[in-house]
Amino acid sequence: MSARLLLLILCIAAGLNTAQASETTPDQANTTDDNTAKPAPDSASSENSASQGSSSQADEPAAPQIEIPRVDIDYKKYVLENGLTLIVHTDHKTPIVAVNIWYHVGSKNEGPKQHGFAHLFEHLMFQGSEHWQGEYFEPFERAGATDMNGTTNVDRTNYFASVPTNALDMALWMESDRMGHFLGAIDQDLLDEQRGVVLNEKRQGENQPYGKVFDTIAPNTYPAGHPYSWSTIGSEADLNAATLDDVKAWFKQYYGPSNAVLVLAGDIEPEAARAKVEQYFGSINPGPPLTQQKRWVAKMNGEHRQVMFDRVPQARIYKVWNVPPTGTPDATRLQIAADLLAGSKNSPLYKALVYDQQIATDVSAFVWDKEIGSQFMVTATARPGGDLEALEAALDRQMQGFIEQGPDTDALDRARTRFAASFIRGTESVGGLGGKADILAQGEIYENDPGAYAEQLETLRSATPDDIGQTVRQWLSDGVYVLSVKPFGERTAQDQDVDRDSLPEFGDAATLDLPDVQHATLSNGLKIRLAERHASPVIQMRMVFDAGYAADPADAPGTASLAMGMLDEGTTHRDALAISSDLDAIGANLSSSASLDASSVSLSTLTTALDPALDIYADVLRHADFPAQEFERLKKQRLAAIAQEKREPTSLALRTLGPLLYGNRHAYGTPLTGTGTTAAVQAMTVADVEAYARTWLRPDNATLVVVGDTTLAELKPKLEAHLGDWAPEADGPRPDKRLPEVAAPDQTRIYLVDRPGSNQSTVIAGNVAPPKSSDADIAMETVNAVLGGMFNSRLNLNLRENKHWSYGARSLLMNARAQQPFIAYASVQGDKTAPAIDEMRRELSDIRGERPVIDSELSAAQANLTRSLPGDNETTPALASTLTQSVIYDLPDDYYDSYVQRIRGLDSAQLTQAARQMIDADALTWVVVGDLDEIESSIRALGWGKVEVVAADAIEAGDAPDNETTND
């Protein structure tokens, strides 16, 4: 396991946003061209994971010894005559092949006046080649590719996709054409187009809370001229000054086969892979010899402090130390130290700052590992209105105690179990970030050894508490950069100025093919659905309750998600720390979540630990006791999360859209983020969430979905032992969900939400569409793919690729049992807000008949929706998710058996009818979040229907329109 992969595991394990702490993007430190972006999530969840880091230094029961299955990633390595390194791993479990190519060039290779070139080229290379004119993603989407993207960081640029085996030749042809035949495809128009896209991505990142942090950290933690002293996202001045000759020279220098590693992992044999790669890549010129920068840690001395003021809802502290590069034993030990410090509820930083003292709403520690020198980072976010200096002092006390004392043996042993379990889960995927192809490419690029992960696993196995303590003392005792980010506050200018005609007088001086689904029923009536999959020794379970946000009391939105978050905060047998510790000991994950129509509790466990995992799972399901002190803590965190959502433009728009679409009398007329409203959460009591659980979380209202390495004969007796005598606590029928029919408004409505100082506007348009169970759903899904569901969709090509006004535009159907929300959305350049709205409306209207779906668009959508099914169901969690959807929306077991035929059988008339059912272009509800001083007049000049300035808080308080409804 490479140190970089270990970082990804640790960040997922710690419940961090991996955009902050993973390989892919610590804020804007790395960049990703994401062709699968989604808006804010439609479910709120709480996770208690064995991957969440170390146990505390307090007394805990010794960790039981769990048998950890060994997983080896076997490979063969070849070097072509032109210098291209090929690594092949064979895995026949699914008919897909991961194609992952790494160029050993990142932002650290940029010279003066070139900052942003590596990132710009990542984008340029998605725009076709000399023999393929058009969007690079298009044939991959037609082929049904999954895990498809490209990323750039400080050290490398990579492109990856998992393709059906029969599409491998296409993928290799495409990759080799842009490696060997790209220069002729670059012209001034293409350069200008992608320069605009990159600058929009830069602005979009900077527009987020804390979005400027990593641009500030880089030049203040490394000396001038160090290759890490600038950010990957780039300099606007350098990008604008780049000429066509400049970028062509950059390509010639760095993107040849002798500076690249190609990994093929999946359904292919090594010699067959070698023959294909020789065929497609063998004729490409090697490229020039290069000089690569090696180790330069640049360890700091003393303390360097800065304070940044930004439009953020909570103050946050960042502490940064420069430490050894990826692949070194010290880097691996520091990864472990970071997890022990802040990886779980039992860890010193989390327990002291978040759990006991409650002066922080979150805390994290991680190593951002890099090729020539890494960085150890600790962050903590103060509670709203909290004292950041007091938080830092408490953090420093915990850090100093850990530096002086190191970890105890049991905490370290628990970490080994967690990391091994996480590694096994990661190797389920052949492709994508963190999959097997990625692991092998990382080892080869950074350490000239695809199997480097094995050495780092050995460091993990052999590390002692003394090893960790000595490493921490060596690297974290001195040389720290401290950045305090504080709220700028609400600033306004006075309406009137002073008299400036004369100087004041001086005054006095001042002071798919999917497994068959098997059904069973326990003695208490609990329904079981099992899909066997024996490729990896893991089992995934989801207890799915017919509940969700739609079961929230009318006056208490947010109850469902808060109740689900409380389940792992304590039972009659274990407190929250014991639950976390027991899960840690067996390498299991337990999480709970809620969505519009369902609530669920999930368990992931190694097959060898099923019995002890079921004991914890049943305890949480059956005996949650909702401790009052934990409820108050989570309630504070929920209020802080709502405040964060109101600061983030897309989340703010989604909070507003639900009430506007559905009105106050409908269960979906609530913030679509699921977190509830400030007033409702403030008024909520622990009795409210207990009542929700008694009413809705019961075996006669549930289905247990199980996927993985077991059989029904093995599984059912274990389930009977743990769950067979579980009985409902509440008698009588459950309340009906408030899901009346919603009528369309009689005109277009535009609601404007002011966000002063925004350099971008977030635009969301929506209406209600037929439910997921509708006969038209598959046709609507296909229309949506053409409109905004793929990278090459109409909305994205229009606003991103043609107009350069946005980093990305999408549309989606938010699955629901009742009428489901249809949403189109984009973040656009501020001065192009009104034109962008006009273009979006035109696309939404045209697909209904003026410009219906054409054969080529239908073919692309059909291919993407059907051929991606194997990749979409590769892992046990992915397959469990598919089966969960079948439960929630009452789909038959063979739904996907006929899915392909039904999509392929669609014709133009069906698609046009579906578009008209899905989109009401003349009765859309628009929510626009931006600087109204800059955009309001131009939006009103569009002359569409009703335009109203609203405050998000007022919508929450019940001022949403009471849409006309009819009873079901």
Side-chain angles (χ1 to χ4, degrees), residues 55-73:
S55 54
S56 71
Q57 309 305 300
D59 290 339
E60 292 184 9
Q65 294 299 312
I66 298 298
E67 178 189 350
I68 303 298
R70 285 190 172 271
V71 178
D72 294 322
I73 309 173

PDB file of all heavy atoms in Angstrom, residues 55-73:
ATOM      1  N   SER A  55      -7.801   4.280  18.694  1.00  0.00           N
ATOM      2  CA  SER A  55      -8.455   4.397  19.974  1.00  0.00           C
ATOM      3  C   SER A  55      -7.698   5.379  20.824  1.00  0.00           C
ATOM      4  O   SER A  55      -6.587   5.763  20.549  1.00  0.00           O
ATOM      5  CB  SER A  55      -8.501   3.021  20.650  1.00  0.00           C
ATOM      6  OG  SER A  55      -7.209   2.483  20.715  1.00  0.00           O
ATOM      7  N   SER A  56      -8.324   5.841  21.898  1.00  0.00           N
ATOM      8  CA  SER A  56      -7.712   6.846  22.747  1.00  0.00           C
ATOM      9  C   SER A  56      -6.644   6.219  23.605  1.00  0.00           C
ATOM     10  O   SER A  56      -6.448   5.011  23.658  1.00  0.00           O
ATOM     11  CB  SER A  56      -8.778   7.489  23.628  1.00  0.00           C
ATOM     12  OG  SER A  56      -9.191   6.557  24.601  1.00  0.00           O
ATOM     13  N   GLN A  57      -5.964   7.109  24.350  1.00  0.00           N
ATOM     14  CA  GLN A  57      -4.942   6.629  25.264  1.00  0.00           C
ATOM     15  C   GLN A  57      -5.569   6.182  26.585  1.00  0.00           C
ATOM     16  O   GLN A  57      -4.881   5.715  27.478  1.00  0.00           O
ATOM     17  CB  GLN A  57      -3.912   7.736  25.519  1.00  0.00           C
ATOM     18  CG  GLN A  57      -3.367   8.345  24.220  1.00  0.00           C
ATOM     19  CD  GLN A  57      -2.785   7.310  23.293  1.00  0.00           C
ATOM     20  OE1 GLN A  57      -1.865   6.621  23.656  1.00  0.00           O
ATOM     21  NE2 GLN A  57      -3.310   7.180  22.093  1.00  0.00           N
ATOM     22  N   ALA A  58      -6.899   6.354  26.729  1.00  0.00           N
ATOM     23  CA  ALA A  58      -7.568   5.918  27.950  1.00  0.00           C
ATOM     24  C   ALA A  58      -7.673   4.409  27.971  1.00  0.00           C
ATOM     25  O   ALA A  58      -7.447   3.726  26.985  1.00  0.00           O
ATOM     26  CB  ALA A  58      -8.958   6.544  28.031  1.00  0.00           C
ATOM     27  N   ASP A  59      -8.036   3.859  29.141  1.00  0.00           N
ATOM     28  CA  ASP A  59      -8.150   2.412  29.264  1.00  0.00           C
ATOM     29  C   ASP A  59      -9.273   1.902  28.385  1.00  0.00           C
ATOM     30  O   ASP A  59     -10.388   2.409  28.424  1.00  0.00           O
ATOM     31  CB  ASP A  59      -8.439   2.034  30.722  1.00  0.00           C
ATOM     32  CG  ASP A  59      -7.222   2.297  31.606  1.00  0.00           C
ATOM     33  OD1 ASP A  59      -6.104   2.362  31.048  1.00  0.00           O
ATOM     34  OD2 ASP A  59      -7.412   2.441  32.829  1.00  0.00           O
ATOM     35  N   GLU A  60      -9.005   0.862  27.601  1.00  0.00           N
ATOM     36  CA  GLU A  60     -10.007   0.229  26.759  1.00  0.00           C
ATOM     37  C   GLU A  60      -9.751  -1.265  26.769  1.00  0.00           C
ATOM     38  O   GLU A  60      -8.636  -1.713  27.026  1.00  0.00           O
ATOM     39  CB  GLU A  60      -9.896   0.717  25.304  1.00  0.00           C
ATOM     40  CG  GLU A  60     -10.278   2.165  25.130  1.00  0.00           C
ATOM     41  CD  GLU A  60     -10.233   2.551  23.664  1.00  0.00           C
ATOM     42  OE1 GLU A  60     -10.077   1.636  22.834  1.00  0.00           O
ATOM     43  OE2 GLU A  60     -10.362   3.732  23.362  1.00  0.00           O
ATOM     44  N   PRO A  61     -10.769  -2.056  26.493  1.00  0.00           N
ATOM     45  CA  PRO A  61     -10.530  -3.486  26.411  1.00  0.00           C
ATOM     46  C   PRO A  61      -9.570  -3.791  25.273  1.00  0.00           C
ATOM     47  O   PRO A  61      -9.560  -3.113  24.263  1.00  0.00           O
ATOM     48  CB  PRO A  61     -11.927  -4.063  26.126  1.00  0.00           C
ATOM     49  CG  PRO A  61     -12.702  -2.918  25.571  1.00  0.00           C
ATOM     50  CD  PRO A  61     -12.172  -1.694  26.239  1.00  0.00           C
ATOM     51  N   ALA A  62      -8.746  -4.809  25.473  1.00  0.00           N
ATOM     52  CA  ALA A  62      -7.780  -5.179  24.442  1.00  0.00           C
ATOM     53  C   ALA A  62      -8.502  -5.610  23.176  1.00  0.00           C
ATOM     54  O   ALA A  62      -9.549  -6.229  23.225  1.00  0.00           O
ATOM     55  CB  ALA A  62      -6.893  -6.319  24.943  1.00  0.00           C
ATOM     56  N   ALA A  63      -7.931  -5.254  22.037  1.00  0.00           N
ATOM     57  CA  ALA A  63      -8.546  -5.595  20.760  1.00  0.00           C
ATOM     58  C   ALA A  63      -8.449  -7.090  20.504  1.00  0.00           C
ATOM     59  O   ALA A  63      -7.371  -7.667  20.646  1.00  0.00           O
ATOM     60  CB  ALA A  63      -7.836  -4.850  19.632  1.00  0.00           C
ATOM     61  N   PRO A  64      -9.561  -7.741  20.141  1.00  0.00           N
ATOM     62  CA  PRO A  64      -9.484  -9.162  19.808  1.00  0.00           C
ATOM     63  C   PRO A  64      -8.692  -9.359  18.526  1.00  0.00           C
ATOM     64  O   PRO A  64      -8.638  -8.483  17.679  1.00  0.00           O
ATOM     65  CB  PRO A  64     -10.953  -9.557  19.610  1.00  0.00           C
ATOM     66  CG  PRO A  64     -11.649  -8.292  19.266  1.00  0.00           C
ATOM     67  CD  PRO A  64     -10.937  -7.203  19.997  1.00  0.00           C
ATOM     68  N   GLN A  65      -8.049 -10.504  18.401  1.00  0.00           N
ATOM     69  CA  GLN A  65      -7.254 -10.789  17.220  1.00  0.00           C
ATOM     70  C   GLN A  65      -8.173 -11.279  16.106  1.00  0.00           C
ATOM     71  O   GLN A  65      -8.832 -12.303  16.225  1.00  0.00           O
ATOM     72  CB  GLN A  65      -6.196 -11.857  17.537  1.00  0.00           C
ATOM     73  CG  GLN A  65      -5.146 -11.389  18.538  1.00  0.00           C
ATOM     74  CD  GLN A  65      -4.364 -10.195  18.016  1.00  0.00           C
ATOM     75  OE1 GLN A  65      -3.891 -10.207  16.884  1.00  0.00           O
ATOM     76  NE2 GLN A  65      -4.235  -9.165  18.830  1.00  0.00           N
ATOM     77  N   ILE A  66      -8.251 -10.530  15.029  1.00  0.00           N
ATOM     78  CA  ILE A  66      -9.088 -10.860  13.891  1.00  0.00           C
ATOM     79  C   ILE A  66      -8.205 -11.358  12.752  1.00  0.00           C
ATOM     80  O   ILE A  66      -7.178 -10.749  12.441  1.00  0.00           O
ATOM     81  CB  ILE A  66      -9.900  -9.635  13.426  1.00  0.00           C
ATOM     82  CG1 ILE A  66     -10.856  -9.161  14.534  1.00  0.00           C
ATOM     83  CG2 ILE A  66     -10.677  -9.949  12.156  1.00  0.00           C
ATOM     84  CD1 ILE A  66     -11.892 -10.181  14.914  1.00  0.00           C
ATOM     85  N   GLU A  67      -8.587 -12.466  12.160  1.00  0.00           N
ATOM     86  CA  GLU A  67      -7.837 -13.001  11.026  1.00  0.00           C
ATOM     87  C   GLU A  67      -8.034 -12.084   9.820  1.00  0.00           C
ATOM     88  O   GLU A  67      -9.162 -11.862   9.374  1.00  0.00           O
ATOM     89  CB  GLU A  67      -8.316 -14.408  10.689  1.00  0.00           C
ATOM     90  CG  GLU A  67      -7.612 -15.026   9.485  1.00  0.00           C
ATOM     91  CD  GLU A  67      -8.255 -16.340   9.039  1.00  0.00           C
ATOM     92  OE1 GLU A  67      -9.121 -16.837   9.790  1.00  0.00           O
ATOM     93  OE2 GLU A  67      -7.896 -16.829   7.963  1.00  0.00           O
ATOM     94  N   ILE A  68      -6.984 -11.509   9.332  1.00  0.00           N
ATOM     95  CA  ILE A  68      -7.054 -10.593   8.195  1.00  0.00           C
ATOM     96  C   ILE A  68      -6.630 -11.328   6.929  1.00  0.00           C
ATOM     97  O   ILE A  68      -5.490 -11.775   6.817  1.00  0.00           O
ATOM     98  CB  ILE A  68      -6.144  -9.372   8.405  1.00  0.00           C
ATOM     99  CG1 ILE A  68      -6.515  -8.647   9.695  1.00  0.00           C
ATOM    100  CG2 ILE A  68      -6.239  -8.424   7.213  1.00  0.00           C
ATOM    101  CD1 ILE A  68      -7.910  -8.085   9.715  1.00  0.00           C
ATOM    102  N   PRO A  69      -7.537 -11.499   5.967  1.00  0.00           N
ATOM    103  CA  PRO A  69      -7.143 -12.173   4.719  1.00  0.00           C
ATOM    104  C   PRO A  69      -6.067 -11.369   3.998  1.00  0.00           C
ATOM    105  O   PRO A  69      -6.075 -10.140   4.017  1.00  0.00           O
ATOM    106  CB  PRO A  69      -8.447 -12.193   3.908  1.00  0.00           C
ATOM    107  CG  PRO A  69      -9.537 -11.945   4.898  1.00  0.00           C
ATOM    108  CD  PRO A  69      -8.950 -11.109   5.971  1.00  0.00           C
ATOM    109  N   ARG A  70      -5.136 -12.055   3.362  1.00  0.00           N
ATOM    110  CA  ARG A  70      -4.092 -11.387   2.593  1.00  0.00           C
ATOM    111  C   ARG A  70      -4.555 -11.188   1.147  1.00  0.00           C
ATOM    112  O   ARG A  70      -5.161 -12.070   0.566  1.00  0.00           O
ATOM    113  CB  ARG A  70      -2.803 -12.202   2.607  1.00  0.00           C
ATOM    114  CG  ARG A  70      -2.057 -12.128   3.938  1.00  0.00           C
ATOM    115  CD  ARG A  70      -0.677 -12.737   3.841  1.00  0.00           C
ATOM    116  NE  ARG A  70       0.083 -12.503   5.050  1.00  0.00           N
ATOM    117  CZ  ARG A  70       0.843 -11.440   5.257  1.00  0.00           C
ATOM    118  NH1 ARG A  70       0.945 -10.509   4.303  1.00  0.00           N
ATOM    119  NH2 ARG A  70       1.506 -11.277   6.388  1.00  0.00           N
ATOM    120  N   VAL A  71      -4.273 -10.029   0.632  1.00  0.00           N
ATOM    121  CA  VAL A  71      -4.591  -9.719  -0.764  1.00  0.00           C
ATOM    122  C   VAL A  71      -3.325  -9.204  -1.433  1.00  0.00           C
ATOM    123  O   VAL A  71      -2.747  -8.220  -0.975  1.00  0.00           O
ATOM    124  CB  VAL A  71      -5.705  -8.651  -0.866  1.00  0.00           C
ATOM    125  CG1 VAL A  71      -5.972  -8.305  -2.324  1.00  0.00           C
ATOM    126  CG2 VAL A  71      -6.980  -9.155  -0.200  1.00  0.00           C
ATOM    127  N   ASP A  72      -2.885  -9.888  -2.479  1.00  0.00           N
ATOM    128  CA  ASP A  72      -1.712  -9.450  -3.224  1.00  0.00           C
ATOM    129  C   ASP A  72      -2.152  -8.983  -4.608  1.00  0.00           C
ATOM    130  O   ASP A  72      -3.013  -9.604  -5.242  1.00  0.00           O
ATOM    131  CB  ASP A  72      -0.703 -10.592  -3.371  1.00  0.00           C
ATOM    132  CG  ASP A  72      -0.103 -11.003  -2.032  1.00  0.00           C
ATOM    133  OD1 ASP A  72       0.146 -10.099  -1.207  1.00  0.00           O
ATOM    134  OD2 ASP A  72       0.102 -12.214  -1.821  1.00  0.00           O
ATOM    135  N   ILE A  73      -1.572  -7.898  -5.055  1.00  0.00           N
ATOM    136  CA  ILE A  73      -1.874  -7.382  -6.397  1.00  0.00           C
ATOM    137  C   ILE A  73      -0.748  -7.844  -7.325  1.00  0.00           C
ATOM    138  O   ILE A  73       0.303  -7.195  -7.423  1.00  0.00           O
ATOM    139  CB  ILE A  73      -1.989  -5.852  -6.381  1.00  0.00           C
ATOM    140  CG1 ILE A  73      -2.952  -5.392  -5.286  1.00  0.00           C
ATOM    141  CG2 ILE A  73      -2.445  -5.333  -7.736  1.00  0.00           C
ATOM    142  CD1 ILE A  73      -2.988  -3.884  -5.105  1.00  0.00           C
TER     143      ILE A  73
END
